[in-house]
Amino acid sequence: MPKHYRPPGKKKEGNSAKYSTRTKALRHLQVTLPTFRKLCILKGVFPREPKKKYEGNNKTYYHSKDIAFLQHEPLMEKFRDIRAYDKKIHKAVAKKNDELAKRLRSRKPGYTLDRLVKERYPTFIDALRDLDDCLTMVHLFAALPAVESEHIQVKDIHTCRRLSHEWQAYISRTNKLRKTFISVKGTYYQVEIEGQKITWLTPHALQQVITDDVDFKTLLSFINFRLYQDINVNYPPTLDPRLEALGADQYALSKYIAGSSMVESQAGKVKMTVESELKLAQLQHQLPANEPGALMQLVEGITGEDNDDEETRECKGLFKDLKIFLSREVPRESLLFVIPAFGGIVSWDGEGAPFQETDDGITHQIVDRPTQGHVFLSREYVQPQWIYDCVNARILLPTDGYMVGRVPPPHLSPFVDNEAEGYVPEYAEVVRRLKAEAKKEVLPMPGLENLDLDDPQSLVAEGIMSRTEAIEIAQKKLKMDELEKRYHEELQKELQKLPYSAAASSKKNADSIDEEIKDRVDRSAKDVSDMDQIVRTRKQRGLVKAMEMGIEKKAAKVNLLKKRKENIAKAPASKSS
């Protein structure tokens, strides 16, 4: 009898009951592999990794509950009907009955994903939380060419382009953009809507790789509809046909949203005025004639409040007083999205632009050429990187380093936490000082930001800093105490007019004092580590060891960056010599 013999009629147990291979799932659902893949993507079903792969490591496993979840999906019947209908079309084409085939194609059944979107995202926050991949895919297809042989229709490209522009127009209008970063892959954007941070990638305006995929537009349509409703703008928007023909969809959407918001605000003001007059008429006999501030309190009660948070107000006023013009060679669509999102007025070189290059009110012109033909002395000429760096720093940076023809400063990623990585680039420190100067803040001395010299062990217990940092802080504290003590001793000897030899001998003992400090710190660190080893369990000791290995790897990476920085600094000196 085999080891895992199962008598007939007895139920399966273990992994064989909980998991099923993809081949068995296809046989159970009676669907083809492309249909199964499409269902898994639409329903959010992913392969699982069982503890024991009972049919081999080269198999793909799915949970039995997920297969049952797919089995009761109404789309399964729709796909079967479509497959049977396609067979009728192929049969008519094979019999050369073109009229019947044409009639069958016109009546081909379809399906919608509205119910599926509501099922996967029961609340609006859930939909926002899962929007990153959707936005990246839509922006990618918006940049692809329409190729019929690759099953990419012109209608799909136009739909993706329209949806991406509608999304960007809403972000620009509501000032929700928070971070931008230009990389080799494209431009990263991060926004914050209803407390959810959404990050997506927009490809550069180059030829993209063509690929096939399933329907990806429904979720973004639902999101745009809800967001436009929140700002009282009709959806879908009706755009100016002249601007659409000129390819200025982003500007046309911005004008549409601004006009709709203006009409809505005027209607709200009229309604508020009527309500306030009615309220004043009703309460006129209730207001005391000689009470100071009574009418002011009533007016304050009917005044509209600004619901924007502090960060949104800060973003709204970054480019508030700037009038920016874009030259032909700069990435126009990206800058038309970013600049209005931070309160700036922007135009470009072409038809349908709000103002021309000769406008006297232009403060900055974005140029990406090494030289400039005609120069206006009333404006500053900067490279496009200046816009993105100002957005990430939330201040207007000096334009000297971004002038035309110069090598701009490093373009630092806002998605990297320099403090957590343990290495702060030089330009990041410069930007930090500029931000503090703009806000009139006083920064601590470099290297002393997180030091608590009074009680570093409390920070270790709270998990704010590592034990290595705490030991370094304790060592610095002891050394400072010894230096202070030595200074007082030398001051007393100077007051007592002792000979210099005595003072010199005290200086000779400095090395011995440093050795004593080091020994004391090492002993205390060894005692603490020994106590931790005794108290912690084996699992905790393993976790601590893994953390220490991670800290060592991070320190090695930081040392490598510092070494490279020193080599770069030494290179010009060696060449000049």
Side-chain angles (χ1 to χ4, degrees), residues 28 70 129 132 138 157 200 271 284 295-297 300 309 357 377 406 413 437 440 471 491 519 542:
H28 180 73
L70 294 177
R129 193 180 295 119
D132 295 359
V138 167
I157 301 300
W200 75 95
K271 183 179 179 181
Q284 187 175 6
L295 185 60
M296 181 60 68
Q297 293 176 4
E300 289 177 355
D309 55 0
E357 186 178 2
L377 299 178
R406 295 185 181 179
S413 173
E437 183 179 351
K440 297 181 180 179
I471 292 173
L491 187 62
D519 292 341

Side-chain angles (χ1 to χ4, degrees), residues 345-357:
I345 302 174
V346 63
S347 182
W348 63 93
D349 187 9
E351 296 184 22
F355 52 88
Q356 300 300 321
E357 186 178 2

Side-chain angles (χ1 to χ4, degrees), residues 41 58 104 109 163 168 198 228 240 263 328 381 410 453 478:
I41 293 173
N58 58 343
L104 289 173
L163 289 172
Q168 293 179 7
I198 305 169
Y228 274 61
D240 186 352
V263 171
R328 287 180 177 271
Y381 292 85
L453 297 180
L478 288 174

Side-chain angles (χ1 to χ4, degrees), residues 369-418:
R369 288 192 292 255
T371 58
Q372 185 70 14
H374 183 73
V375 177
F376 294 88
L377 299 178
S378 59
R379 67 186 69 167
E380 297 188 54
Y381 292 85
V382 293
Q383 300 180 42
Q385 184 183 329
W386 180 76
I387 295 291
Y388 299 101
D389 288 351
C390 290
V391 166
N392 295 330
R394 302 290 173 82
I395 59 170
L396 294 179
L397 297 172
T399 58
D400 298 339
Y402 300 90
M403 301 294 286
V404 178
R406 295 185 181 179
V407 178
H411 183 48
L412 304 176
S413 173
F415 302 101
V416 176
D417 189 356
N418 295 323

Side-chain angles (χ1 to χ4, degrees), residues 39-59:
L39 279 171
C40 289
I41 293 173
L42 293 176
K43 297 288 288 183
V45 174
F46 302 97
R48 304 289 188 93
E49 287 291 331
K51 293 182 179 180
K52 182 180 179 181
K53 298 182 178 180
Y54 59 94
E55 287 201 14
N57 294 329
N58 58 343
K59 300 286 186 179

